[in-house]
């Protein structure tokens, strides 16, 4: 794909990765992704904002063929999907200076062995004149590493936000035209890499509220011509109350846990509690992460194997603990053969979750009528707790 003009002297120079299906060897990318680099030609200086994933370096270099001079290269974030092609850009434009936060400088040296003399570091709020255009650098830590910043182009009121507000979508459309279709991928992206840092991101949002932003140009996904859409969505995900929802990741070996899950889900639905159920044998963990953004309760379903939880259930607990959702309640259901420490092990894996643990229901062998009754009681307890908090 060729470079695309956004406004006079401002271009998208990105690459669309239609085929990528996994990020960080962890995160599923059902819709592919893009790495958005941007070029701004001021009356005196030319600047490239971020590069692209090294797998797409050839595309960026090809787009730069007609660009004779780059004075500055801005690195908002040191992760290699944006920084990985910087060494090649510096090779092509040896006089270009690399602008970053001081923290990003250290990381870029560690990760890419970029020489010290290539850098100019900027402070929070510092500006850079390109002649008729002015860039303002705004520190926005933890979107999604600690060194991150964004750039506000004052005259054109464009915010270049790198990972912040991004979404993993491969598309030939430069701009968001259907907000409904972007909401899900953007929420999934927030869940996967932003959610653990939401308290800091809340402060970043407050900081950005001081700026008159006409469009947001992130480094993954499409440009937002109506920034309020994604800013409001972030506010909701960060500040909104949890929902009247139980997220139920489970795994079953011989159907006993599955029978418990089926009964329990019906019992919750009968009590008007929404359920998002994930069979961990086959689930897309990005969808599980997305469900954790606003669910009030997590219930993990697991059999006992080798005296503890099934490793898939342990994985779900580890993931939830790492993502630190705003969940209020947690419980465990499942079946065991002769004993073990399933509950203790799982409960010990979620120290980051500030949750009230509701008594787990573990049954020996296949569930009995008494076990189903206990599951009804657990469903009723959860429904009652949600009701007391007036969750919708
Ligand atoms: Fe798109 Fe954190 O890199």
């Amino acid at each position: 794909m060729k470079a695309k003009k956004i406004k006079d002297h401002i271009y998208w120079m990105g690459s669309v990765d239609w085929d990528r299906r996994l990020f960080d060897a962890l995160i599923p990318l059902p819709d592919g992704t893009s790495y958005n680099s941007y070029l701004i030609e001021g009356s005196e200086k030319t600047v490239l904002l971020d590069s692209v994933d090294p797998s797409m370096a050839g595309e960026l270099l090809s787009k730069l063929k007609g660009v004779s001079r780059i004075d500055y290269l801005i690195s908002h974030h040191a992760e290699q999907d944006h920084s990985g092609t910087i060494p090649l850009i510096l090779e092509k434009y040896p006089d270009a200076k690399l602008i970053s936060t001081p923290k990003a400088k250290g990381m870029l040296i560690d990760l890419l062995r970029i020489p010290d003399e290539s850098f100019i570091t900027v402070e929070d709020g510092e500006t850079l004149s390109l002649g008729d255009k002015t860039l303002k650098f705004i520190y926005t830590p933890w979107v999604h590493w600690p060194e991150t910043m964004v750039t506000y182009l004052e005259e054109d009121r464009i915010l270049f936000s790198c990972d912040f507000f991004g979404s993993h979508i491969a598309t030939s459309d430069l701009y968001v035209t259907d907000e409904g279709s972007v909401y899900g991928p953007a929420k999934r992206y927030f869940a996967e890499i932003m959610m653990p840092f939401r308290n800091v991101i809340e402060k970043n949002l407050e900081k950005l509220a001081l700026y008159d932003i006409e469009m947001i140009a992130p480094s993954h996904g499409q440009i937002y011509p109506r920034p309020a859409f994604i800013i409001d969505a972030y506010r909701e995900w960060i500040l909104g109350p949890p929902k009247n929802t139980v997220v139920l990741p489970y795994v079953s070996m011989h159907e006993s846990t599955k029978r418990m899950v089926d009964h329990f889900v019906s019992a919750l639905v009968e009590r008007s509690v929404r359920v998002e159920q994930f069979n961990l044998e086959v689930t897309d963990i990005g969808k599980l992460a997305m469900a954790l953004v606003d669910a009030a309760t997590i219930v993990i379903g697991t059999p006992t194997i080798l005296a503890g939880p099934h490793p898939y259930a342990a994985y779900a607990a580890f993931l939830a603990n790492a993502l630190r959702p705003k969940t209020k309640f947690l419980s465990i259901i499942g079946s065991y053969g002769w004993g073990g420490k399933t509950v203790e092990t799982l409960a010990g894996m979620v120290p980051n979750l500030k949750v009230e643990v509701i008594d787990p229901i573990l049954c020996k062998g296949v569930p009995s009528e008494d076990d189903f009754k206990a599951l009804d009681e657990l469903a009723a307890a959860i429904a009652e707790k949600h009701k007391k908090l007036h969750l919708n």
Side-chain angles (χ1 to χ4, degrees):
M1 227 178 275
K2 291 189 172 164
K4 291 179 179 175
K5 183 173 164 182
I6 298 171
K7 281 187 169 189
D8 284 348
H9 307 294
I10 304 170
Y11 300 91
W12 172 85
M13 306 289 281
S15 288
V16 178
D17 198 339
W18 300 90
D19 299 331
R20 190 163 178 180
R21 286 292 172 269
L22 203 58
F23 198 87
D24 289 346
L26 172 70
I27 296 168
L29 301 178
D31 305 312
T33 190
S34 67
Y35 319 104
N36 303 331
S37 171
Y38 298 95
L39 184 79
I40 304 173
E41 295 172 327
S43 57
E44 291 172 17
K45 302 286 184 190
T46 296
V47 61
L48 186 72
L49 297 98
D50 291 316
S51 71
V52 296
D53 189 85
S55 61
M56 298 287 186
E59 267 202 36
L60 179 55
L61 291 170
S62 155
K63 286 188 180 73
L64 287 168
K65 266 188 186 141
V67 179
S68 59
R69 200 189 75 205
I70 285 182
D71 299 287
Y72 303 108
L73 178 52
I74 294 170
S75 177
H76 291 117
H77 174 26
E79 192 166 13
Q80 291 92 326
D81 53 323
H82 311 292
S83 69
T85 304
I86 287 176
L88 291 178
I89 305 293
L90 290 175
E91 213 173 276
K92 183 174 165 68
Y93 302 97
D95 295 331
K97 286 292 177 194
L98 179 56
I99 294 179
S100 73
T101 64
K103 199 172 271 184
K105 174 182 171 180
M107 296 170 98
L108 289 163
I109 291 172
D110 291 342
L111 294 171
L112 299 167
R113 304 291 174 220
I114 294 172
D116 191 286
E117 57 271 21
S118 295
F119 284 90
I120 296 175
T121 58
V122 288
E123 293 303 315
D124 189 18
E126 199 171 324
T127 57
L128 175 74
S129 174
L130 306 179
D132 58 347
K133 293 187 186 296
T134 314
L135 302 180
K136 183 160 189 174
F137 305 109
I138 306 164
Y139 282 19
T140 48
W142 294 106
V143 289
H144 95 272
W145 286 359
E147 86 295 7
T148 43
M149 67 171 184
V150 298
T151 296
Y152 180 64
L153 174 53
E154 291 182 346
E155 290 75 8
D156 297 276
R157 297 184 291 131
I158 301 176
L159 184 77
F160 296 94
S161 62
C162 200
D163 268 356
F164 202 5
F165 304 120
S167 60
H168 288 304
I169 303 176
T171 170
S172 57
D173 288 339
L174 185 57
Y175 298 97
V176 172
T177 51
D178 176 2
E179 292 176 346
S181 71
V182 173
Y183 184 87
K187 185 176 184 182
R188 169 194 274 262
Y189 177 96
F190 167 84
E192 290 161 342
I193 65 169
M194 304 279 172
M195 182 156 62
F197 315 116
R198 62 181 185 280
N199 292 340
V200 185
I201 297 174
E202 181 187 342
K203 293 195 171 59
N204 291 338
L205 289 175
E206 282 168 17
K207 223 168 163 182
L208 294 180
L210 304 174
Y211 295 84
D212 177 15
I213 300 170
E214 184 183 309
M215 64 174 89
I216 294 179
S219 290
H220 294 291
Q222 295 162 291
I223 295 173
Y224 299 93
R226 196 178 73 83
F229 157 64
I230 192 68
I231 291 173
D232 289 349
Y234 265 65
R235 284 212 180 97
E236 170 64 24
W237 300 330
I238 289 170
L239 299 168
K243 297 212 158 87
N244 177 27
T245 301
V246 170
V247 168
L248 178 41
Y250 78 96
V251 57
S252 187
M253 289 160 59
H254 299 290
E255 293 290 315
S256 295
T257 299
K258 176 73 165 64
R259 284 192 216 176
M260 295 178 77
V261 165
D262 289 346
H263 183 93
F264 181 56
V265 167
S266 291
L268 286 167
V269 173
E270 274 169 27
R271 291 164 177 81
S272 302
V273 178
R274 202 178 299 113
V275 182
E276 296 207 46
Q277 178 181 327
F278 297 93
N279 180 346
L280 295 165
E281 274 184 74
V282 294
T283 199
D284 166 345
I285 59 154
K287 285 185 86 169
L288 171 57
M290 187 161 52
L292 290 172
V293 170
D294 37 29
T297 300
I298 302 171
V299 177
I300 300 174
T302 181
T304 293
I305 176 171
L306 302 174
H310 190 289
Y312 287 174
Y315 180 36
F318 184 87
L319 185 72
N321 186 60
L323 294 178
R324 299 171 183 248
K326 53 189 168 193
T327 313
K328 298 277 186 206
F329 309 104
L330 174 84
S331 193
I332 298 162
I333 62 174
S335 163
Y336 64 96
W338 52 90
K341 292 192 181 302
T342 291
V343 168
E344 295 90 325
T345 305
L346 280 180
M349 289 182 72
V350 290
N352 292 340
L353 301 184
K354 306 296 173 226
V355 289
E356 177 187 335
V357 177
I358 307 175
D359 283 346
I361 310 290
L362 257 61
C363 79
K364 193 168 186 197
V366 294
S368 64
E369 282 310 311
D370 283 349
D371 296 319
F372 288 133
K373 193 163 164 275
L375 289 167
D376 288 336
E377 285 163 7
L378 176 60
I382 290 170
E384 185 57 30
K385 285 180 188 295
H386 287 196
K387 204 169 163 190
K388 267 194 185 150
L389 293 176
H390 307 290
L391 305 182
N392 291 312

